[in-house]
Amino acid sequence: MAINLTIPKMVFAIEGIEIGVTEAGIKKENRKDLTVFKLDEGTTVSGVFTKNLFCAAPVQIAKKHLLLGKPIRSLVINTGNANAGTGQNGLKNAQTICSSLGNLLKIEDCQVLPFSTGVVLEPLPVDKILNNLYKAVLKSDKNNWMEAAYGIMTTDTIPKIFSEQFTIDQKVFTITGISKGAGMIHPNMATMLGFIGTDIGIKQSLLDKIIKDLADKSFNRITIDGDTSTNDSFIIMATGKSKIKLESEHDSNYHIILDALAKAASDLAQKIVRDAEGATKFITLQVEKAASKEEALAIAYSVAKSPLVKTAFYASDPNIGRILVAIGYSNTNIPINKVKIWLNDLLIVENGELSKFYTEESGKKVMKQSEIVIKISLNNGYFAEKVYTCDLSHDYVTINSDYRS
């Protein structure tokens, strides 16, 4: 069951983006599994992708199409099959889908970005996609963001969507985005797909920089099980339909817009953790007073990835020594006698040893909560970082052992 995951009451359309969703029967019948985005001329698009060496065929094609520099006019997303580990046939199939959609929309195939998610090392049922692309195109509508959020789900239990309107100098701009992911989550990036649209006009070179900064603070700050997938992709589409334009980091509105986009990316990333496979608790690792960003992240991830820590939280068992152990093997050189650790507001470790004020009863009370912050102060510098994770339950094993059935 998702942890405090909410669906927005109002979902705002993005002028310049239309979405069509249909059923292609890729893995299961009567399930929305094929989504097409249509983008108006003038839209700038940028993306970041998985660093897995076995990156999927659609990732390879999408990266190639972006590098060609022609305006991207469409995205196509299928669930039920990852088209990864499929060799030259996989590349050919991804390219064929782009060509077919390009013909339907009267654009070049290099103006289409393909995305897939699902089981790895299985041939893509490309004919099912090709035979149903036209249905998705016919259903295109600017108000189909929620349909798309459902259409890209795999083991997700709830659609993940962000939608807000913001105001700058009495001018309104909109940001709406969707994401999917529940397992095989760990940078770089997680097994997720994320798509954010905005009606701001953003210069291409600037958008290319912005998306890397956003990914670093959002989708690259989550971990569920330590696995990095083959298909991870995060895309931003800026249509320029509002009266707000962004040309440079020196623009007066730059940080306001960046903060709004960061809010969307962080929300969508955290929703992935909140809907993690079998999770019952949402955990924030907050490392403070580190000597460097790298030191803070090394310790945060060491604790966040520990199966022993995660299973203890699932059981609400205050076996807090597991946190100390995970910090100790993080391959950092910290002054251990200065370390302090809190569970929410409860001080559990002081000067590298058990706090004299801590009791097991108080620890258990905190660990029973659905949202927990593990704050670690290193007293070794001025850097701070956050990583988001969850507990590890019996249901995680059940879901993944039955994934292909």
Side-chain angles (χ1 to χ4, degrees):
M1 182 177 179
I3 307 157
N4 300 328
L5 197 163
T6 57
I7 299 174
K9 295 179 180 178
M10 180 74 71
V11 177
F12 300 100
I14 303 295
E15 294 299 327
I17 298 178
E18 292 186 354
I19 307 170
V21 185
T22 194
E23 301 167 353
I26 294 168
K27 183 179 180 182
K28 295 180 180 179
E29 298 298 326
N30 303 314
R31 186 203 182 287
K32 291 181 171 62
D33 55 8
L34 183 61
T35 302
V36 170
F37 280 70
K38 291 167 53 181
L39 313 178
D40 278 6
E41 288 188 41
T43 300
T44 52
V45 178
S46 190
V48 290
F49 302 89
T50 180
K51 293 183 179 180
N52 192 304
L53 290 177
F54 287 99
C55 64
V59 170
Q60 296 178 57
I61 298 297
K63 290 169 71 174
K64 183 179 77 171
H65 286 183
L66 282 168
L67 284 173
L68 289 174
K70 291 206 172 183
I72 301 302
R73 297 291 308 281
S74 183
L75 318 179
V76 55
I77 309 140
N78 77 267
T79 62
N81 185 291
N83 194 11
T86 49
Q88 289 301 313
N89 280 337
L91 290 169
K92 180 182 176 182
N93 287 338
Q95 190 65 60
T96 299
I97 291 167
C98 292
S99 299
S100 181
L101 184 55
N103 288 334
L104 283 171
L105 300 179
K106 295 181 170 44
I107 59 175
E108 295 183 54
D109 58 358
C110 64
Q111 293 180 286
V112 179
L113 301 183
F115 305 90
S116 299
T117 181
V119 179
V120 175
L121 278 177
E122 290 189 1
L124 181 72
V126 65
D127 289 342
K128 291 182 178 181
I129 295 173
L130 298 176
N131 292 338
N132 288 280
L133 280 174
Y134 77 97
K135 293 180 183 177
V137 172
L138 287 175
K139 294 179 179 179
S140 296
D141 189 280
K142 68 179 183 180
N143 294 309
N144 275 346
W145 282 93
M146 186 60 75
E147 286 279 295
Y150 277 102
I152 65 173
M153 290 169 59
T154 49
T155 57
D156 310 65
T157 66
I158 294 179
K160 300 163 182 67
I161 187 162
F162 173 94
S163 190
E164 284 192 26
Q165 290 189 317
F166 304 83
T167 302
I168 294 178
D169 300 329
Q170 298 183 324
K171 298 175 184 176
V172 176
F173 69 92
T174 304
I175 300 175
T176 296
I178 58 175
S179 64
K180 66 78 51 182
M184 206 186 285
I185 300 290
H186 185 66
N188 288 299
M189 289 176 346
T191 183
M192 47 70 59
L193 298 177
F195 305 97
I196 291 177
T198 181
D199 53 8
I200 301 168
I202 305 178
K203 186 178 178 182
Q204 184 67 58
S205 59
L206 186 59
L207 187 62
D208 292 341
K209 178 185 183 304
I210 285 173
I211 195 169
K212 292 175 183 176
D213 292 341
L214 294 182
D216 187 52
K217 291 294 185 181
S218 58
F219 294 107
N220 282 337
R221 289 292 182 273
I222 60 175
T223 182
I224 290 174
D225 47 22
D227 280 343
T228 299
S229 183
T230 53
N231 293 62
D232 318 324
S233 307
F234 171 39
I235 302 294
I236 298 181
M237 303 159 280
T239 67
K241 296 295 184 179
S242 73
K243 296 180 180 179
I244 300 169
K245 309 297 178 187
L246 199 59
E247 298 287 334
S248 163
E249 293 178 69
H250 303 294
D251 287 3
S252 59
N253 294 325
Y254 175 76
H255 289 290
I256 297 173
I257 293 171
L258 185 65
D259 286 348
L261 288 168
K263 181 179 181 181
S266 182
D267 179 84
L268 291 170
Q270 290 183 39
K271 281 176 175 170
I272 289 173
V273 179
R274 292 184 182 278
D275 194 27
E277 291 168 347
T280 66
K281 291 165 187 175
F282 180 83
I283 303 168
T284 301
L285 269 296
Q286 185 174 316
V287 179
E288 301 176 347
K289 297 184 179 180
S292 65
K293 169 184 172 181
E294 291 73 22
E295 180 179 86
L297 287 174
I299 288 172
Y301 276 121
S302 189
V303 177
K305 291 192 298 179
S306 166
L308 291 178
V309 171
K310 292 158 79 68
T311 50
F313 275 91
Y314 169 63
S316 299
D317 174 21
N319 191 350
I320 56 176
R322 292 180 176 182
I323 299 173
L324 204 68
V325 170
I327 295 172
Y329 63 63
S330 61
N331 198 28
T332 58
N333 186 23
I334 58 172
I336 60 173
N337 61 339
K338 292 183 179 180
V339 172
K340 292 184 178 181
I341 306 173
W342 290 261
L343 295 181
N344 288 352
D345 295 326
L346 177 66
L347 181 64
I348 62 173
V349 171
E350 188 171 16
N351 301 325
E353 59 185 72
L354 189 69
S355 169
K356 61 184 178 181
F357 300 108
Y358 171 78
T359 66
E360 184 153 327
E361 182 182 356
S362 61
K364 195 172 188 70
K365 184 177 180 181
V366 174
M367 291 181 76
K368 284 184 175 180
Q369 298 177 29
S370 62
E371 302 222 11
I372 302 165
V373 177
I374 303 174
K375 185 169 79 170
I376 302 167
S377 178
L378 303 178
N379 291 298
N380 197 36
Y382 304 98
F383 291 84
E385 290 290 340
K386 288 183 181 179
V387 166
Y388 304 96
T389 190
C390 60
D391 58 342
L392 195 59
S393 72
H394 301 290
D395 285 345
Y396 176 86
V397 177
T398 300
I399 290 166
N400 282 284
S401 61
D402 293 340
Y403 181 68
R404 297 202 307 158
S405 60

